[in-house]
Amino acid sequence: MQQPTFRATSENPDVLIIGYGPVGAAVGALLGRYGVKTLIIDKGQEILMIPRAIALDNEALRILQMIGLDDQSFERIGIQQVCMHSPIAGQFGRVNTAGTIDGHPKLVTFYQPDLEKALRNKVDEHECVEVLFHCELLNLKQHSEGVEASVRNAEGQVQKISARYVIGADGSSSKVRELIGQAFEGQTYAEDWLIVDAHQRQGKAIEHVEFVCDPKRPTPHMPAPGGRERWEFMLLPGETREQMETPEKLAELLAPWMKRDELTIERQAVYRFHARCCDRFQKGRVFLVGDAAHITPPFVGQGLVAGLRDAANLSWKLAAVVSGRSREAILDTYDEERRPHAKNMIRLAKFMGKLVMTKSTARSVVVHGAMRLLTFVPPLRSFLEELKVKPANSFKTGLFVSGRTQTGLTPATLKRGGQFPQGLVRSALNQSKAGMNLSDDLLGDQLTLVGIGVDPASVLDAAVLAEWQAAGAEVLHLGMRGQTGNGKTPFAEIMDDNLVLKAPQGWLAVVRPDRVVMHDGPSQLASTIVKESLRVLAI
């Protein structure tokens, strides 16, 4: 996408982002791709060179792919399984995280400073995005046309910044959340945890994630890139932060795995976990993303993932409104779509926490024993092992055409409000994306009418096609094996069955920039599908 020339200091931005952590950087990078005039401010400047978030799933990796990051952009380790075991019940649970979903590993671990560098590099590629460091937000005032932010700049002066919209990406202690008066309700766990991140001096880190569910001291343990490992030790009653961080105590805690002198400690810190969510992720022209909106306990590795989902959902909607291609009311669907799913993930994390944090032998026998018995029932074992317990990233209501197409044809298994599948495709040699690609790389940054085995342009009325393209939307023909394109509509040949199984030949789908299905149906209804999609956006 051609980017406009813009420097945020010389004119007011359309979007002001408060906070330049990974979620703020992800929003900035996406808004940059969409050509939105954006200013990011942050109190600091340097990336914290310590591990924090450590896990990403296939959905997060797909969002990073949208931003322009691939498996060469930052190092990650593919996790093949997550095991839960206790000294009483043995291995009572296992999650199969081998393989891929939508072209990406189901679960990876990573080193957060590397990811943040990669995200900031993407932000720097966009002329329409500027970053100001050592700037502290003091106040926000909303009015009918925008938001005025009072900021203390790097010189200590109070500066006024006017923007059409403001995004609070400023973490769990969010100043933005405080200023808009948004409650942050939920639970703070009574237990403290010691987090230990370390390098092995010799040998190799484990290759899987393990939850040692010992009632005497529950301990999650996992690998990370660069020979790193992480342990999380729950503090017992009477133990203090100072005691837990002594070399002697660390040696005692790590003894079941290795000697203390075989490790280089990179970080040790005591944390208390939280499970909190705002009543709304939006107030007027101000939006909350990431930890400013919700905090997920770490037991399912969904904290940063949830923030990236926020970024993907909100960014394209803001771009559509700022460009004049959509009505402002669509911004209300950010909270409508994202908050229920964020709450579901928090509930799952709390449930997993109860499995991990059994504090008595009797409870361990009952809970872990019952879980192990469930693994002997094939349907239940499959439900647990194949991640079916994880809430699907799909919406009951929101920015899509509700319902399903009722025809005499075999319907697709696509779900409106759910994710459009990604698969491997082969592009024509005369196109910019020639060769083998993941299909998302051909969808781009706009609404796309995708035809499975059918050219969407060939089944649309000429006037409707012109209206679709005038709205900045595109068409894409994903052909079956052996099919060829017409040379006009962008074409790629489907090289795996992931797309065909969910969208049979002759099926159309309108795909949003965040890869959510807005509408779908057979090619006979092409013009109706386009008109109803444009009506949703009020274009």
Side-chain angles (χ1 to χ4, degrees):
M1 179 181 290
Q2 184 67 35
Q3 304 299 340
T5 300
F6 166 75
R7 301 312 297 170
T9 52
S10 63
E11 55 182 295
N12 295 333
D14 287 317
V15 178
L16 171 63
I17 301 172
I18 313 298
Y20 200 31
V23 176
V27 176
L30 285 168
L31 290 176
R33 285 181 69 94
Y34 303 147
V36 176
K37 297 184 294 186
T38 304
L39 174 62
I40 306 172
I41 67 170
D42 194 273
K43 290 190 293 185
Q45 178 171 359
E46 302 301 326
I47 294 171
L48 291 176
M49 298 305 295
I50 56 174
R52 286 165 289 158
I54 196 171
L56 296 170
D57 65 7
N58 55 284
E59 292 176 25
L61 294 172
R62 192 176 182 187
I63 294 167
L64 295 175
Q65 178 192 352
M66 289 164 47
I67 292 171
L69 300 181
D70 58 22
D71 55 8
Q72 303 301 310
S73 300
F74 64 100
E75 190 177 358
R76 75 282 299 269
I77 294 177
I79 301 299
Q80 304 304 303
Q81 62 178 339
V82 177
C83 299
M84 292 170 281
H85 51 85
S86 77
I88 298 167
Q91 181 169 306
F92 65 88
R94 175 184 175 274
V95 179
N96 174 25
T97 53
T100 62
I101 298 176
D102 291 327
H104 293 286
K106 294 178 184 177
L107 180 66
V108 302
T109 57
F110 70 106
Y111 181 55
Q112 183 169 327
D114 288 347
L115 173 59
E116 290 196 51
K117 287 178 186 176
L119 286 168
R120 290 189 178 192
N121 287 340
K122 282 298 172 184
V123 170
D124 290 342
E125 291 179 4
H126 303 294
E127 285 287 328
C128 61
V129 183
E130 185 173 1
V131 183
L132 298 179
F133 295 110
H134 306 296
C135 291
E136 180 182 4
L137 177 68
L138 302 177
N139 199 12
L140 291 173
K141 291 183 179 179
Q142 296 198 55
H143 51 82
S144 60
E145 299 299 322
V147 186
E148 182 181 82
S150 298
V151 174
R152 182 179 290 112
N153 62 27
E155 288 74 39
Q157 301 169 332
V158 176
Q159 175 182 349
K160 303 292 186 180
I161 300 174
S162 294
R164 291 180 63 178
Y165 302 98
V166 169
I167 299 175
D170 49 343
S172 58
S173 57
S174 172
K175 180 71 172 179
V176 176
R177 187 180 64 237
E178 174 191 331
L179 290 172
I180 65 174
Q182 180 56 249
F184 204 35
E185 298 179 351
Q187 172 187 358
T188 295
Y189 284 80
E191 302 83 10
D192 287 323
W193 290 75
L194 172 68
I195 312 298
V196 179
D197 289 297
H199 291 275
Q200 282 203 45
R201 293 181 180 174
Q202 293 181 348
K204 184 179 180 182
I206 62 170
E207 295 181 345
H208 65 283
V209 172
E210 62 176 356
F211 286 88
V212 181
C213 303
D214 187 343
K216 295 180 180 178
R217 190 186 301 277
T219 307
H221 175 211
M222 61 210 73
R228 295 179 175 89
E229 293 185 70
R230 172 174 292 181
W231 290 265
E232 299 173 0
F233 299 101
M234 192 176 80
L235 273 66
L236 304 180
E239 291 180 331
T240 66
R241 178 187 303 260
E242 292 74 21
Q243 290 172 339
M244 295 298 286
E245 294 181 351
T246 63
E248 295 77 17
K249 191 62 177 180
L250 282 175
E252 175 191 332
L253 293 170
L254 295 169
W257 291 273
M258 63 195 64
K259 295 179 180 179
R260 168 65 182 81
D261 59 8
E262 294 175 346
L263 289 173
T264 299
I265 303 297
E266 191 168 23
R267 181 185 70 147
Q268 56 190 56
V270 174
Y271 284 91
R272 184 162 290 193
F273 300 143
H274 305 272
R276 297 188 177 276
C277 190
C278 288
D279 291 333
R280 280 190 61 81
F281 293 0
Q282 173 191 7
K283 184 173 182 179
R285 293 174 172 271
V286 180
F287 303 86
L288 300 172
V289 297
D291 285 355
H294 45 75
I295 302 179
T296 307
F299 306 111
V300 290
Q302 287 289 306
L304 177 55
V305 176
L308 292 174
R309 291 193 191 99
D310 295 343
N313 189 290
L314 177 60
S315 298
W316 79 269
K317 294 173 182 177
L318 282 169
V321 172
V322 165
S323 68
R325 289 177 172 166
S326 187
R327 58 196 170 97
E328 192 170 56
I330 72 165
L331 299 177
D332 295 338
T333 65
Y334 165 62
D335 174 81
E336 181 182 9
E337 292 179 348
R338 280 295 306 130
R339 183 160 47 91
H341 188 262
K343 284 188 170 182
N344 286 338
M345 279 299 181
I346 291 171
R347 281 191 283 268
L348 176 61
K350 290 171 69 174
F351 170 73
M352 288 297 297
K354 290 179 181 178
L355 293 182
V356 172
M357 297 189 299
T358 53
K359 301 175 188 177
S360 71
T361 301
R363 180 173 174 80
S364 178
V365 169
V366 173
V367 174
H368 299 156
M371 289 291 294
R372 183 165 186 176
L373 288 175
L374 291 178
T375 64
F376 291 99
V377 182
L380 292 176
R381 183 175 65 246
S382 174
F383 182 77
L384 296 171
E385 288 191 358
E386 301 305 324
L387 292 172
K388 296 175 184 177
V389 68
K390 179 181 173 183
N393 186 19
S394 61
F395 318 126
K396 292 184 178 179
T397 60
L399 192 59
F400 55 92
V401 179
S402 60
R404 294 182 66 86
T405 300
Q406 301 296 323
T407 70
L409 302 175
T410 302
T413 59
L414 298 178
K415 182 181 184 300
R416 298 179 195 171
Q419 295 288 305
F420 186 73
Q422 176 168 221
L424 196 64
V425 297
R426 182 168 57 196
S427 306
L429 294 178
N430 61 345
Q431 294 177 186
S432 59
K433 290 281 187 179
M436 301 295 286
N437 295 281
L438 287 171
S439 53
D440 277 6
D441 292 339
L442 305 183
L443 289 174
D445 302 325
Q446 66 289 309
L447 283 176
T448 305
L449 178 63
V450 180
I452 304 296
V454 60
D455 176 7
S458 70
V459 292
L460 276 174
D461 293 338
V464 176
L465 176 60
E467 185 181 5
W468 182 246
Q469 293 175 330
E474 300 289 347
V475 292
L476 174 64
H477 179 188
L478 295 181
M480 300 298 184
R481 292 283 185 96
Q483 281 188 319
T484 57
N486 61 12
K488 297 179 181 179
T489 301
F491 172 82
E493 185 180 3
I494 297 172
M495 301 307 293
D496 64 37
D497 295 331
N498 190 36
L499 291 167
V500 178
L501 290 174
K502 296 182 179 180
Q505 185 171 1
W507 206 260
L508 302 178
V510 174
V511 183
R512 302 180 346 186
D514 59 354
R515 313 319 185 209
V516 170
V517 178
M518 178 176 280
H519 203 343
D520 76 318
S523 60
Q524 296 92 318
L525 300 178
S527 293
T528 299
I529 290 169
V530 165
K531 290 179 180 179
E532 290 181 351
S533 297
L534 293 176
R535 195 174 302 129
V536 166
L537 295 168
I539 297 177

